[in-house]
Amino acid sequence: MSRNVLKSSIHSASINIVFQIMSRCITFGINSFVIRIVDREALGIMNVRLLLLEGSLAFLSREAIRRATLSSTANPHEKHIWPHIINQLWLSLPIYCIFSGPCLYIWFNQSIFGSPIADELYDQYKFGCICIVVSGIIELLAEPQVFVAQVFCFVKLRVVLDTLHIFVRSTLFIALVLRDPNQAIFAFSIAQVGSTATFAIGYYVYFIYYINRLNEVKGDKKHAADKTDDGLTTDEKKPESDDSIPFNSIKQMLPGYLENSGTIFNENLQTLVLSFFKQGFLKQVLTEGEKYVMTISPIMTFSQQATYDIVNNLGSLAARFVFRPIEENSYFYFTQTLSRDIPLKQHSREKIEQASSVLYNLLKVVTSIGLIGMVFGQSFAKTVLTLYGGSRFVEDDGLSVILLRWHAVAIILLAINGICEAYMFAAMTSTELDRYNYHMGFLSVTFLFLSYQLTSFFGPVGFILANCTNMFLRIIFSGIYIRTQYQSVDLKPLDGIIPNKLFAITLTVLGITCIISENRLFRHSILAHVVVGAICFACTAGVWAYENRTLIRSYILKRGKSL
């Protein structure tokens, strides 16, 4: 299995985006159906309280370890690195169990923390919390397999199992909800455990099969080599280079099984994990800050939380199925291309120029997507909400349209921030990461303060305004870091943020056209307004493609070679 990092990253990002679009379309349809039959308070509990518990535990136990170990696999075929990596990955499980106790205590005691839960929903809620913890434990049992699949670019495997995970969860949830809509939280919890178990079992089954087949192939090659002419010298009988995974048994993915250099954990890796944990903890507060504020303070009822979460999910669709896969694979590419312990100017000129070119083009793409989302979001927020939740949903909550329009504004900041931070976190040394944690600490405190204060003045819109402020400050910091790095090599990858002139003019004119269309056509025919928007979008995309035809041609060439 030949491993080309750039081609594999492009391939993985492309398939992940397609998968995310598909999975989000499924989720979109399910949620649109559920909104109409499930109580709004139950939706708030599932989508805010329970999913926040899942995300918090996953972050506390896994995120820092996964990021740090990725940085240790620039050459994953070196077998001596894997004992420490496998042991480090398995450390996620006891960490998860340690944190699950305090988290369950906080989530159970709603008389102390957050809005009270109705008595008729409390048993379901408690069962849901327990199921979230159980599903997290099951998922971590397959963490080494998931990590190996990512490092060795098993793209199709990840897509198949992620698709299976979504399918099982959706099928179980719908089947159980249709039987009794009043037991929606029970249905959500059972679906969560069932889908996670399917996901974990799938990874074990595949790698058992894959390693057995790999051993058979190696055995056949060895048998064939033994039959070669004995007149050859030892040097002439050198085996072919082996690009396969460095495991001969599924047992070698268990902790303590592989022989190591005398230590259970690598000290440098532990230091990097700690740095990522401190930085990630603050980033988690910044990313999910509004949900933590809603959870620990009674400023919004569960019904209001459900409305905010529904709009928030719609507003963050671009981040989930486009920006996140790009960000994850960008981080993977930069960690494998640049060494964080070597100054940028000491890398080979070829690597520096390639990294700069990739960063420039990534910023060009995500900025353009963000601008399109921001402009068209102003004239299609009401249309999307009407189609998603029905006219009653829009009429019952007049703030929903305003919230979605503000989310559209936040998209551009979200897009730029994700790529800049992916590069920065891949290139920073452990010392720089520790130093950055102090800045993140300041941003976290500022964000929580702004969230609470702005929400008091502007209602739920305050959360979005606080988020925009937070992302803007983070972009400034990461932009200064990137500009400083590339000044020494006379390259300017941050210029990718600047949109092309023709694209900017076209987007402005057609954006105004869509606003006029909403004011004049929407009340008479939603279809007519959608048609106008589709034509305007096609024209905008065509202009962008024309101005960036070299980039598209290069992408098609790389994408074709990766297949």
Side-chain angles (χ1 to χ4, degrees), residues 54 60 72 85 96 187 259 284 330 401 496 500:
E54 178 191 37
L60 289 170
S72 303
I85 288 178
Y96 184 97
E259 295 183 4
Q284 177 74 3
S330 300
V401 176
N500 295 328

Side-chain angles (χ1 to χ4, degrees), residues 321-337:
F321 66 68
V322 177
F323 297 144
R324 184 175 295 173
I326 293 176
E327 180 182 342
E328 289 177 352
N329 288 280
S330 300
Y331 175 79
F332 172 71
Y333 165 75
F334 290 126
T335 58
Q336 307 300 293
T337 303

Side-chain angles (χ1 to χ4, degrees), residues 63-130:
E63 185 70 18
I65 291 176
R66 185 178 287 185
R67 279 181 170 268
T69 47
L70 268 177
S71 300
S72 303
T73 55
N75 187 358
H77 301 292
E78 294 181 358
K79 295 186 178 182
H80 69 87
I81 69 173
W82 283 102
H84 290 141
I85 288 178
I86 293 297
N87 291 339
Q88 192 72 52
L89 290 170
W90 276 102
L91 194 59
S92 301
L93 187 57
I95 293 175
Y96 184 97
C97 294
I98 290 171
F99 278 111
S100 62
C103 286
L104 281 177
Y105 176 80
I106 294 173
W107 260 255
F108 282 167
N109 289 275
Q110 293 307 304
S111 59
I112 304 174
F113 304 98
S115 302
I117 295 176
D119 292 339
E120 62 271 18
L121 294 176
Y122 185 75
D123 287 341
Q124 292 189 60
Y125 168 72
K126 191 173 181 179
F127 178 77
C129 290
I130 294 171

Side-chain angles (χ1 to χ4, degrees), residues 31-64:
N31 288 342
S32 180
F33 165 74
V34 169
I35 288 172
R36 291 167 167 82
I37 65 171
V38 175
D39 180 71
R40 193 76 62 88
E41 187 169 355
L43 282 175
I45 292 173
M46 292 186 297
N47 295 341
V48 177
R49 192 64 61 83
L50 295 182
L51 289 183
L52 182 62
L53 175 62
E54 178 191 37
S56 299
L57 286 173
F59 156 73
L60 289 170
S61 61
R62 183 181 64 196
E63 185 70 18

Side-chain angles (χ1 to χ4, degrees), residues 229-248:
D229 185 3
D230 288 335
L232 296 176
T233 64
T234 303
D235 290 337
E236 290 173 327
K237 290 184 179 182
K238 288 181 180 178
E240 297 179 5
S241 60
D242 184 11
D243 285 337
S244 60
I245 63 174
F247 301 101
N248 298 319

Side-chain angles (χ1 to χ4, degrees), residues 306-507:
T307 300
Y308 176 83
D309 184 70
I310 290 167
V311 176
N312 184 59
N313 284 336
L314 286 173
S316 60
L317 279 177
R320 296 181 182 221
F321 66 68
V322 177
F323 297 144
R324 184 175 295 173
I326 293 176
E327 180 182 342
E328 289 177 352
N329 288 280
S330 300
Y331 175 79
F332 172 71
Y333 165 75
F334 290 126
T335 58
Q336 307 300 293
T337 303
L338 302 175
S339 174
R340 65 173 70 249
D341 297 321
I342 301 175
L344 182 67
K345 60 184 177 182
Q346 293 183 17
H347 288 78
S348 67
R349 185 68 187 183
E350 181 183 0
K351 281 191 174 183
I352 294 172
E353 290 180 350
Q354 187 186 67
S356 175
S357 175
V358 170
L359 181 57
Y360 175 90
N361 289 327
L362 284 170
L363 288 172
K364 175 72 69 178
V365 171
V366 299
T367 301
S368 301
I369 295 172
L371 286 171
I372 291 174
M374 180 181 70
V375 171
F376 283 92
Q378 305 310 306
S379 54
F380 282 90
K382 189 174 183 179
T383 303
V384 170
L385 288 170
T386 301
L387 295 174
Y388 185 65
S391 57
R392 181 179 174 183
F393 175 74
V394 176
E395 294 168 0
D396 287 349
D397 192 348
L399 280 177
S400 58
V401 176
I402 298 175
L403 283 171
L404 192 53
R405 285 172 177 165
W406 274 104
H407 269 294
V409 174
I411 284 177
I412 180 66
L413 297 172
L414 189 68
I416 297 172
N417 179 66
I419 297 301
C420 288
E421 286 195 342
Y423 175 86
M424 185 174 66
F425 294 147
M428 275 183 164
T429 64
S430 298
T431 303
E432 288 173 330
L433 281 171
D434 284 335
R435 193 182 306 127
Y436 179 69
N437 289 336
Y438 292 106
H439 297 280
M440 289 287 283
F442 170 76
L443 290 175
S444 300
V445 173
T446 303
F447 172 65
L448 292 176
F449 175 78
L450 284 175
S451 295
Y452 190 83
Q453 293 298 323
L454 292 176
T455 304
S456 300
F457 285 108
F458 302 106
V461 175
F463 282 129
I464 305 174
L465 295 176
N467 241 327
C468 289
T469 305
N470 155 52
M471 285 187 289
F472 181 72
L473 293 175
R474 287 161 63 182
I475 289 170
I476 291 176
F477 187 92
S478 57
I480 292 173
Y481 176 85
I482 294 170
R483 186 188 64 180
T484 302
Q485 264 208 326
Y486 281 94
Q487 271 182 339
S488 60
V489 293
D490 198 28
L491 294 171
K492 298 180 179 179
L494 291 178
D495 286 354
I497 296 174
I498 304 172
N500 295 328
K501 291 182 180 179
L502 182 58
F503 169 72
I505 294 171
T506 303
L507 189 59

